[in-house]
Amino acid sequence: MDKSVGRKSTELFLRANKVLPGGVSRNTLLRGIQPLYVDHGEGCRVIDVDGFERIDFANNMASLIHGHAHPKITEAVSTQLRRGTAFTMATEAEVLFAEHLCGRAPGFDKVRFVNSGTEAVMAGLKAARAYTDRPKIAKVEGSYHGAYDFAEVSQAANPENWGQGNRPNSTPLAQGTPQGVLDDVIIIPFNDPETALAILARHKSDIACVLIDPIPHRIGMIPADPEFVRQIHTWTRDNGALLMFDEVITFRTETGGMQARFNVTPDLTSLGKMIGGGFPVGALAGRNDVMDVFVKGEKGLRLPHSGTFSANPVTMTAGRVAMELFDDEAVARLNDLGDRAREGIAQAINIAGAPACVTGTGSLFRIHMKPNPPANYRETYPDASEQKALSALVDALYDAGIMPIHTGSGALSTAMGNSEIDRLAEAVLTAFRTINTKLQKDI
Ligand SMILES: Cc1ncc(COP(=O)(O)O)c(C=O)c1O
């Protein structure tokens, strides 16, 4: 743990441990043995309870696109708060937000709101099953899609259990995952269309949908190859299955999400994180006839679906304002900052002579303690010495007033400018210099 963990954070964690399992409500907050406790955030900066200020490159796991407490979002939400926060009635706020989102991508005929990315993926997988009347889903090895049992399969496969590359095993994440779940999830390798199609062919009449994250952060944060996406899309078309994109993170990459960069329109798309404007959110968007599974029709109600807080007007208001602010110009500016960040980090790695590299696209980056960018999940998987070196790097960045995601990744916000990006590059250089001797020894 970095030396800047203060006394107040430590005291809070001692209290938390008595009432929260592991002292937290999200395991991802644990770095080393404890989380830091925040006091407040302003724009792209967060100030912890001990008064340390850091530039926020984590942005609540890539969910804040405008940083903290953006005045326009705060004002709109405050107005809504005074009018009530949750009703057993529909609201104009959800209609306005749905109209906005449906205008952003050609494949978004309709949208259904939920409360998290996990729920959005779950709704999408269930919608695909209901639409096709088939039981299985296919997903990419190592890809993270939240906590639905089926979406979790092979999320954390490791060399002991992942099996042969051309026939990856379906591995459980949680102990006690039913065998039936594993049997109904088919695992394909990333960006290897030939192997993927051979695997899919073996289950072709059972597959409801193929789920793809176009920049899977646990798979090196490397974009999907357009040819991989094209071939999977064609396969789904030819075999009566659906293509679902998980754009919970990647929607920030283009005005219409990463799908705008491919010449394909997925049948379904899960959204979340930044579309909530800082509030809990998820959404499933898709083609009219597929989204009709949520509506009572000739075939009855194929997918009954509800959620007490789904489309609550606070989230809907914050999300709409945030997304309206994230227009073409804002997306382009943020992606330029992303290029500057990746270039700055690459230069720092070069100057320091560190055996590391940087990947990512748009407003996302990830530092790997490997000399060359990985091509798939198995290549991304860090060995023990790489993991140790990465933790040392993240600690050093925290000490330097930079807060990345604990995996060495970062997601930018529109609250940043060139000076914050340059501070990041400088901090990476200093951090590599500090830990370089150790790296040379370990890797
Ligand atoms: C690609 C992707 N899908 C789904 C999820 C789950 O979203 P949530 O944490 O809101 O449930 C995440 C969360 O990190 C994600 O990165």
Side-chain angles (χ1 to χ4, degrees):
M1 178 62 81
D2 53 305
K3 58 181 181 284
S4 57
V5 176
R7 184 179 52 83
K8 285 189 183 165
S9 269
T10 304
E11 281 168 7
L12 276 170
F13 185 59
L14 289 175
R15 279 169 53 199
N17 257 313
K18 296 191 181 132
V19 283
L20 298 163
V24 286
S25 303
R26 305 160 68 185
N27 283 4
T28 38
L29 295 190
L30 288 170
R31 190 169 57 84
I33 51 160
Q34 73 169 75
L36 288 178
Y37 287 80
V38 67
D39 182 78
H40 67 283
E42 291 166 12
C44 64
R45 290 178 162 70
V46 274
I47 293 88
D48 74 19
V49 286
D50 289 288
F52 289 108
E53 182 179 302
R54 297 178 181 86
I55 305 177
D56 191 358
F57 286 91
N59 277 304
N60 190 31
M61 303 302 272
S63 71
L64 303 174
I65 200 77
H66 301 300
H68 302 276
H70 188 287
K72 289 209 167 116
I73 301 175
T74 308
E75 191 189 318
V77 166
S78 305
T79 305
Q80 182 59 50
L81 283 177
R82 284 189 288 271
R83 301 177 65 207
T85 61
F87 304 92
T88 322
M89 294 171 98
T91 66
E92 186 179 6
E94 75 189 282
V95 181
L96 284 169
F97 192 22
E99 285 169 349
H100 176 86
L101 286 178
C102 287
R104 283 181 93 107
F108 294 4
D109 291 337
K110 297 243 167 65
V111 58
R112 179 151 283 217
F113 291 109
V114 289
N115 299 293
S116 66
T118 290
E119 263 189 89
V121 170
M122 178 168 72
L125 298 182
K126 290 170 81 170
R129 288 190 206 125
Y131 180 80
T132 58
D133 213 4
R134 292 173 172 189
K136 293 190 199 293
I137 64 136
K139 63 161 289 203
V140 171
E141 185 173 58
S143 203
Y144 184 84
H145 301 284
Y148 182 39
D149 284 357
F150 295 85
E152 275 184 348
V153 174
S154 290
Q155 182 199 105
N158 63 58
E160 270 77 56
N161 65 12
W162 61 31
Q164 290 172 11
N166 60 353
R167 274 183 179 251
N169 290 333
S170 295
T171 67
L173 179 73
Q175 284 191 22
T177 301
Q179 185 59 43
V181 169
L182 302 177
D183 293 345
D184 279 336
V185 181
I186 308 306
I187 301 300
I188 56 174
F190 190 54
N191 277 350
D192 177 354
E194 202 183 318
T195 308
L197 294 197
I199 293 169
L200 293 175
R202 290 200 283 276
H203 306 272
K204 63 179 181 191
S205 44
D206 286 332
I207 292 185
C209 89
V210 183
L211 174 62
I212 293 177
D213 177 340
I215 320 172
H217 51 287
R218 295 170 64 111
I219 309 181
M221 205 180 267
I222 31 169
D225 183 345
E227 186 53 21
F228 176 69
V229 174
R230 192 192 64 75
Q231 290 200 31
I232 299 282
H233 186 231
T234 306
W235 187 90
T236 55
R237 285 281 132 102
D238 293 347
N239 291 279
L242 300 181
L243 175 65
M244 176 166 159
F245 265 26
D246 184 355
E247 295 233 45
V248 162
I249 287 187
T250 60
F251 202 64
R252 58 165 46 234
T253 312
E254 297 291 339
T255 315
M258 261 303 270
Q259 57 196 264
R261 290 198 193 171
F262 302 104
N263 198 16
V264 300
T265 301
D267 305 291
L268 288 170
T269 302
S270 47
L271 302 168
K273 301 219 185 219
M274 72 147 180
I275 69 155
F279 289 82
V281 78
L284 180 70
R287 212 175 62 218
N288 269 324
D289 62 323
V290 183
M291 296 302 280
D292 274 350
V293 297
F294 293 106
V295 184
K296 198 165 181 185
E298 279 170 16
K299 295 183 180 165
L301 180 53
R302 285 171 285 170
L303 179 51
H305 178 262
S306 258
T308 304
F309 285 99
S310 291
N312 74 81
V314 177
T315 299
M316 296 296 99
T317 301
R320 179 180 51 78
V321 175
M323 294 307 287
E324 283 172 357
L325 290 168
F326 198 50
D327 56 11
D328 289 343
E329 203 184 309
V331 175
R333 184 183 157 269
L334 198 61
N335 288 351
D336 285 348
L337 284 183
D339 288 340
R340 189 182 180 102
R342 286 182 296 274
E343 277 161 28
I345 294 168
Q347 243 175 40
I349 290 171
N350 199 12
I351 296 168
C357 66
V358 60
T359 57
T361 183
S363 52
L364 301 163
F365 68 82
R366 179 167 174 180
I367 300 170
H368 302 266
M369 295 305 188
K370 301 171 184 287
N372 300 309
N376 55 37
Y377 176 67
R378 296 185 184 200
E379 286 187 18
T380 304
Y381 195 85
D383 66 25
S385 69
E386 289 165 358
Q387 191 53 56
K388 212 167 136 196
L390 183 68
S391 300
L393 177 81
V394 171
D395 284 353
L397 290 176
Y398 262 73
D399 289 344
I402 298 286
M403 188 166 97
I405 295 173
H406 303 166
T407 53
S409 316
L412 311 186
S413 76
T414 61
M416 293 172 176
N418 287 347
S419 62
E420 281 82 18
I421 302 300
D422 295 346
R423 278 248 345 248
L424 167 71
E426 281 158 26
V428 169
L429 177 58
T430 312
F432 270 120
R433 282 189 168 140
T434 315
I435 62 171
N436 213 5
T437 326
K438 187 162 168 298
L439 285 178
Q440 302 291 6
K441 195 166 71 177
D442 284 351
I443 296 179

